Amino acid sequence: MKILFSWLKDYVDIECQPLELVDKLFGSGFEVEETVYLGQDIEKVVVGEVTSIEKYEGTHLYICHVDCGEFGTDNLILTGADNVFKGAKVPAAVVGAKLPGGIEIQPRKMADMVSYGMLCSGGELGVTEDWQKGADVHGILILPDSAKVGEDIKKTLELDDYLFDISITANRPDCQSVLGIAREVAAFLGKPLKEPDYSFTRTEVTKPEISVEIEALDLCPRYLGDYIYEVKHFESPQWMKRRLSVCGFSAIDAIVDVTNYVLLEIGQPMHAYDLDTLDGKSILVRRANDGETITTLDEKERKLTHENLLICDKVKGVGLAGIMGGLNSEIEVKTSEILLEAAKFRRDNVRKTSRALGLHTDAAARFEKGVDEYGVECGMKRALNLVEKLGIAKIGSSSFDVSAGEDKGEAKFDVTVTKINSVLGIDVPQSEIVKILRSLQFGVDENGETLSVTVPRWRTDVEGYQDIAEEVIREYGYEHVVPRFLDSAKVTNGGLSFLQNKELSAKEYLCSQGFYEVRTLAMYSERELDMILLPKNAPERTAIRLLNPITDNLSIMRTVMSPCMINVITDNIKSDHSAGRFFEIANVYLPKSLPLTEQPEERKTLCIGAYGADEDFFTVKDAIEGFAAANGLTFRYERGEASFLHPGICADIFCEGQKIGQLGKLRYEIVDALNIAEGKKNDLNVILAELNYSALESLYKREMKFTADNGKAKAKRDISLICDKKTLCVEIEDVVKATSTKAADVKLIDSFESEKLGFGKKSLTFTITYAGAEDVTDEIADSETEAVANALKDKLGAVRRV
């Protein structure tokens, strides 16, 4: 949130310097993310008065003599601008001056004369028409006659000011405004707060045909409406336009500017409806109908659902509650009667609507954090005050206040000093606690060490003694907190447990194989489950739903890890990384029942992903095999099936008879849908594996035994087979080991299919390593291989390919 230092000074007598105030705000719990000096990069630019001007014959230039006060009463400056005249007050950059963009002014020869300075336009000083009238003129900025000759232009244009960009945490919606921050500044500086002027006068004029009805009180617990008439349309005063401009708002029209000004000053979003555009002169706040549409002020048509809150008249929608008004009710030059709106809308509903429609506004940002009913009242009163003060319109007697009755006024509860200090772990004197709370406008009555606290209406975040303790310490100062052990703390030896060490070694092994560890969020949406083509009745769709998601994209707890890995791979491919290997060990969340009645199962899962032209099923399988061997485990593979994996390149992984995961290639349909192949489908292999790491932890051996090599000669033989496509590698491996007692290892090294092999056939090539108690000679290896080939033909119909 952006706030001008000078604006804060309207409400608090601030005697410290701006950067000192930044430190004090930080100490009070408000991080100033950025501090910008508005006059930075401007030096030695002053108000000059043109004492004489003449045309420089033969050029487009004018010869000006400029009085710059103490910087010289007769400065010769040439300019090409034709709007300068004798007696004009202008920004003059004298020799040695600096301007935004790194420009430094030095004597410069122009035609046959030397110019000793430069007359500046608004653009060259970084100011716009909203900041200073005439700044957008194509030429020199002409200053008011009241400008003092020789005065620093930063003072004249009010650039000698600081802009603070303050981060407001979600628990402090009351500080989403200049007034909210001013309350805090007044408290820690020990200064009185000067409230804005809320006074205004109503006329006796009424508009009896106006009506306001709230159908969805659960989403709109408070709605204020006020009738103003004889609306005049003119530019807002310069002071208002400047404040709006520096905070990111463009000046539009006085009445619209007032609503934006109140948004910044009070923190209350407001809206003005042209009564002539409201059918039946009525306002109805209701849920939208599924499929209903509205064209918002940005001229875009929005399709709504019953989850969206709509401001309507008798016939149509005229605004998205808390987000943006409708194009059909915008204020125009011909508008003469207006219904001003100030309301409280449910923060979660505004957030969901804003996210779903991709429509993010300053009003929505305020409502998402929360708006209190006190702010609704103050916002309306301040808006009416400015309407009257600036002469924009007259205020009629027709006003509306529709409420769900939720506002119970000021909350009250008792708290003891002992309780407060028990939270802080230090002893803050009672007198200091009372002083701090009163400076924050809490009401406090003392009865011994018991404090009866009355919470201001705008502090909806304060509910108990813990909140009071937080208020006390941030004003008392965190430097008073003394580090100490908890009462129940114990000193332990520390170190990692067996399973922690195993997990660390697993990560180190995968990193050694070229995999990078990634960390993804534990939440995603139904769209991720749709992406991997999960059937509607798949058990993985039984997921825990978040009641208050940050965004619809993070609305459910993940039940399967592969969508997260696919997203990581997709992002890398779209960032022009041609290949990559990744892994993640994290939890999936499996509910035991819905709605939740007990804690879900948090199953630790290992997900592996690799992509690139050189990656295939076997490269990833090798890495997984190495992982298993490094942990004393043996994996078996059988033909598998998964909605998101290629039906012919998918295997279930087993360990000690238990299925612990799957490995396979991402389906082409999903690759196409993600638009990541870019016409190179055959060169892009995306391989995924997902293993139940919790199950693996139960299978880890507490002790690993090393068996020394017996030093006897080994022999290797490759055997190529033509077999049925349905024959599993594991079936062949089992036959090999059952036939030859010397077959110490059987490893698949190649696989392909071709029409030449015959219908329904495939070719597999294995490397068999023979070892035994005695040396394995070539004769023995050849004999064993021949026996294996015969057994494979007899038992599986696999024919040796020569």
Side-chain angles (χ1 to χ4, degrees):
M1 184 186 68
K2 293 181 172 62
I3 292 180
L4 273 172
F5 180 61
S6 59
W7 200 348
L8 278 175
K9 292 173 73 173
D10 282 356
Y11 310 112
V12 187
D13 292 326
I14 303 174
E15 296 173 354
C16 64
Q17 294 301 308
L19 297 183
E20 287 182 65
L21 186 66
V22 169
D23 292 336
K24 292 179 181 293
L25 282 166
F26 185 80
S28 192
F30 298 92
E31 179 186 0
V32 181
E33 295 182 333
E34 186 179 17
T35 303
V36 178
Y37 178 54
L38 301 186
Q40 66 184 6
D41 302 328
I42 299 177
E43 295 180 16
K44 295 184 73 174
V45 182
V46 299
V47 176
E49 182 175 358
V50 180
T51 55
S52 71
I53 181 170
E54 61 180 295
K55 189 79 171 69
Y56 189 170
E57 294 301 330
T59 72
H60 70 288
L61 302 172
Y62 294 87
I63 305 169
C64 301
H65 290 268
V66 184
D67 180 2
C68 296
E70 65 180 80
F71 289 94
T73 58
D74 190 18
N75 293 275
L76 176 62
I77 301 176
L78 302 182
T79 181
D82 59 6
N83 68 324
V84 181
F85 55 90
K86 182 180 178 180
K89 301 283 185 68
V90 295
V94 299
V95 173
K98 293 182 180 179
L99 297 174
I103 300 172
E104 188 166 344
I105 305 301
Q106 296 296 336
R108 184 171 63 139
K109 189 173 182 180
M110 302 175 72
D112 292 328
M113 294 187 70
V114 177
S115 177
Y116 295 92
M118 185 177 84
L119 305 185
C120 303
S121 67
E124 287 163 335
L125 295 172
V127 297
T128 63
E129 186 75 16
D130 284 346
W131 189 266
Q132 178 65 41
K133 194 170 182 62
D136 287 351
V137 171
H138 182 66
I140 303 305
L141 174 60
I142 306 300
L143 300 171
D145 292 338
S146 58
K148 296 179 182 178
V149 173
E151 183 177 73
D152 191 325
I153 198 67
K154 291 182 286 190
K155 182 177 180 181
T156 304
L157 296 182
E158 298 184 28
L159 292 170
D160 190 18
D161 201 353
Y162 285 81
L163 180 68
F164 303 139
D165 191 352
I166 305 175
S167 175
I168 306 299
T169 54
N171 67 317
R172 292 305 305 274
D174 60 297
C175 289
Q176 300 181 99
S177 63
V178 181
L179 179 60
I181 294 296
R183 289 192 189 109
E184 298 296 320
V185 172
F188 61 65
L189 292 182
K191 300 284 187 178
L193 177 71
K194 293 178 280 188
E195 292 271 358
D197 186 0
Y198 297 119
S199 63
F200 62 90
T201 305
R202 293 188 185 276
T203 69
E204 295 183 357
V205 175
T206 61
K207 195 77 171 178
E209 56 265 47
I210 301 176
S211 66
V212 174
E213 180 185 354
I214 312 299
E215 187 178 284
L217 281 169
D218 57 326
L219 302 182
C220 176
R222 187 81 182 273
Y223 188 100
L224 301 184
D226 262 281
Y227 167 64
I228 61 174
Y229 64 100
E230 293 184 16
V231 177
K232 298 180 179 64
H233 299 275
F234 51 82
E235 288 188 13
S236 300
Q238 202 71 50
W239 61 266
M240 179 177 283
K241 292 202 295 184
R242 281 176 181 162
R243 289 179 173 181
L244 290 173
S245 174
V246 79
C247 293
F249 288 81
S250 298
I252 300 171
D253 179 276
I255 183 63
V256 177
D257 293 349
V258 162
T259 62
N260 289 330
Y261 189 83
V262 170
L263 169 73
L264 295 170
E265 183 186 46
I266 309 297
Q268 174 60 45
M270 299 193 66
H271 194 69
Y273 294 99
D274 184 343
L275 271 176
D276 288 338
T277 66
L278 298 182
D279 285 289
K281 299 289 189 292
S282 66
I283 286 289
L284 171 65
V285 184
R286 61 169 174 80
R287 290 178 181 270
N289 298 316
D290 287 330
E292 189 172 0
T293 61
I294 182 173
T295 302
T296 44
L297 285 170
D298 58 359
E299 300 184 3
K300 293 182 180 179
E301 185 177 82
R302 314 281 178 176
K303 188 174 182 179
L304 310 178
T305 73
H306 73 284
E307 295 292 335
N308 308 134
L309 189 63
L310 197 60
I311 312 294
C312 309
D313 58 21
K314 289 286 187 185
V315 176
K316 62 188 180 299
V318 295
L320 273 175
I323 300 175
M324 186 179 285
L327 186 63
N328 53 18
S329 64
E330 71 173 330
I331 302 302
E332 299 179 337
V333 176
K334 63 182 181 180
T335 301
S336 61
E337 294 182 305
I338 284 174
L339 183 69
L340 268 182
E341 168 194 280
K344 175 182 178 180
F345 301 113
R346 289 291 183 199
R347 68 180 78 180
D348 56 338
N349 181 260
V350 172
R351 180 174 58 253
K352 289 176 181 177
T353 299
S354 175
R355 299 294 191 278
L357 299 178
L359 185 55
H360 307 287
T361 63
D362 290 279
R366 260 70 175 187
F367 280 117
E368 284 179 16
K369 281 192 172 73
V371 169
D372 58 83
E373 297 197 25
Y374 178 77
V376 174
E377 298 166 9
C378 290
M380 179 59 83
K381 288 188 290 186
R382 181 59 169 158
L384 294 176
N385 168 268
L386 290 170
V387 164
E388 182 178 50
K389 179 180 177 180
L390 301 179
I392 298 172
K394 294 181 180 179
I395 303 167
S397 292
S398 295
S399 64
F400 305 86
D401 185 350
V402 183
S403 173
E406 290 186 356
D407 185 16
K408 306 300 182 184
E410 298 172 327
K412 297 181 180 181
F413 55 83
D414 292 344
V415 61
T416 65
V417 174
T418 301
K419 276 258 189 183
I420 294 171
N421 285 333
S422 69
V423 174
L424 302 178
I426 58 175
D427 291 325
V428 182
Q430 180 169 328
S431 59
E432 191 67 27
I433 293 174
V434 172
K435 177 185 174 183
I436 288 170
L437 292 176
R438 286 175 177 165
S439 72
L440 291 167
Q441 301 188 46
F442 286 76
V444 183
D445 291 325
E446 300 179 71
N447 183 13
E449 77 144 11
T450 300
L451 308 179
S452 295
V453 178
T454 301
V455 182
R457 288 178 65 200
W458 58 86
R459 291 304 303 274
T460 55
D461 60 305
V462 177
E463 298 177 344
Y465 72 91
Q466 300 94 335
D467 301 316
I468 295 296
E470 181 181 353
E471 295 301 298
V472 169
I473 195 59
R474 66 187 186 84
E475 297 295 330
Y476 188 59
Y478 292 101
E479 67 274 9
H480 290 96
V481 176
V482 180
R484 65 182 180 85
F485 276 114
L486 297 174
D487 294 337
S488 58
K490 295 180 181 178
V491 178
T492 64
N493 291 329
L496 299 178
S497 68
F498 169 74
L499 291 179
Q500 288 171 330
N501 274 311
K502 293 298 286 185
E503 183 174 328
L504 182 61
S505 66
K507 292 180 178 181
E508 289 173 344
Y509 170 78
L510 289 168
C511 288
S512 73
Q513 298 301 304
F515 289 87
Y516 288 87
E517 183 177 12
V518 298
R519 301 295 292 176
T520 60
L521 295 176
M523 299 86 72
Y524 47 49
S525 70
E526 290 278 0
R527 286 189 289 276
E528 270 72 17
L529 302 181
D530 294 338
M531 173 182 69
I532 63 172
L533 307 178
L534 270 183
K536 294 300 182 183
N537 60 348
E540 291 87 353
R541 286 191 179 271
T542 304
I544 301 167
R545 300 186 178 277
L546 301 184
L547 294 176
N548 192 19
I550 297 174
T551 167
D552 285 346
N553 293 333
L554 303 172
S555 58
I556 62 175
M557 302 298 292
R558 64 184 172 200
T559 56
V560 58
M561 290 276 288
S562 291
C564 302
M565 186 59 69
I566 292 172
N567 288 334
V568 170
I569 290 173
T570 299
D571 290 342
N572 276 271
I573 292 174
K574 290 184 176 179
S575 297
D576 293 329
H577 299 148
S578 59
R581 287 184 157 199
F582 308 103
F583 76 91
E584 180 176 13
I585 298 178
N587 288 343
V588 295
Y589 301 85
L590 309 176
K592 298 173 183 176
S593 62
L594 286 178
L596 287 176
T597 56
E598 57 181 319
Q599 291 292 331
E601 177 189 353
E602 298 184 28
R603 180 184 296 169
K604 192 174 289 187
T605 302
L606 167 61
C607 190
I608 293 175
Y611 74 95
D614 295 331
E615 297 289 357
D616 59 24
F617 179 91
F618 300 106
T619 60
V620 178
K621 179 174 179 288
D622 278 348
I624 293 175
E625 284 287 290
F627 166 78
N631 289 283
L633 303 175
T634 301
F635 288 170
R636 284 173 56 86
Y637 302 86
E638 295 184 7
R639 185 182 299 278
E641 183 179 335
S643 64
F644 57 97
L645 297 178
H646 190 293
I649 312 176
C650 176
D652 292 336
I653 305 173
F654 292 83
C655 185
E656 296 188 14
Q658 177 182 350
K659 180 181 175 181
I660 51 95
Q662 284 186 312
L663 165 67
K665 182 176 180 178
L666 187 63
R667 279 181 179 268
Y668 291 134
E669 302 97 296
I670 299 177
V671 171
D672 289 341
L674 293 172
N675 194 28
I676 55 177
E678 296 183 357
K680 299 179 181 180
K681 186 184 300 183
N682 295 332
D683 295 331
L684 177 64
N685 296 318
V686 179
I687 311 300
L688 298 169
E690 188 163 333
L691 288 79
N692 182 343
Y693 191 82
S694 292
L696 289 177
E697 286 185 325
S698 67
L699 300 173
Y700 282 147
K701 306 298 187 293
R702 290 281 170 173
E703 294 181 1
M704 297 284 285
K705 293 184 179 181
F706 172 73
T707 302
D709 190 277
N710 61 10
K712 301 300 180 182
K714 301 179 180 63
K716 290 185 178 182
R717 291 293 184 270
D718 291 346
I719 182 170
S720 296
L721 305 167
I722 298 174
C723 60
D724 192 278
K725 285 179 64 173
K726 296 182 179 179
T727 302
L728 302 179
C729 291
V730 68
E731 293 176 323
I732 293 174
E733 291 171 4
D734 288 345
V735 171
V736 172
K737 290 180 179 180
T739 303
S740 172
T741 58
K742 291 182 172 57
D745 184 52
V746 184
K747 187 174 183 180
L748 178 69
I749 61 171
D750 188 40
S751 171
F752 73 90
E753 297 177 16
S754 169
E755 293 180 359
K756 294 181 180 180
L757 297 176
F759 179 75
K761 299 294 184 179
K762 64 181 177 180
S763 173
L764 300 176
T765 301
F766 292 85
T767 292
I768 306 174
T769 302
Y770 297 106
E774 302 297 332
D775 290 336
V776 177
T777 64
D778 287 342
E779 292 78 6
I780 293 173
D782 291 340
S783 174
E784 293 289 319
T785 303
E786 188 65 30
V788 164
N790 292 332
L792 289 170
K793 182 178 181 181
D794 293 341
K795 296 181 180 180
L796 298 177
V799 179
R800 191 172 185 179
R801 181 167 60 87
V802 181

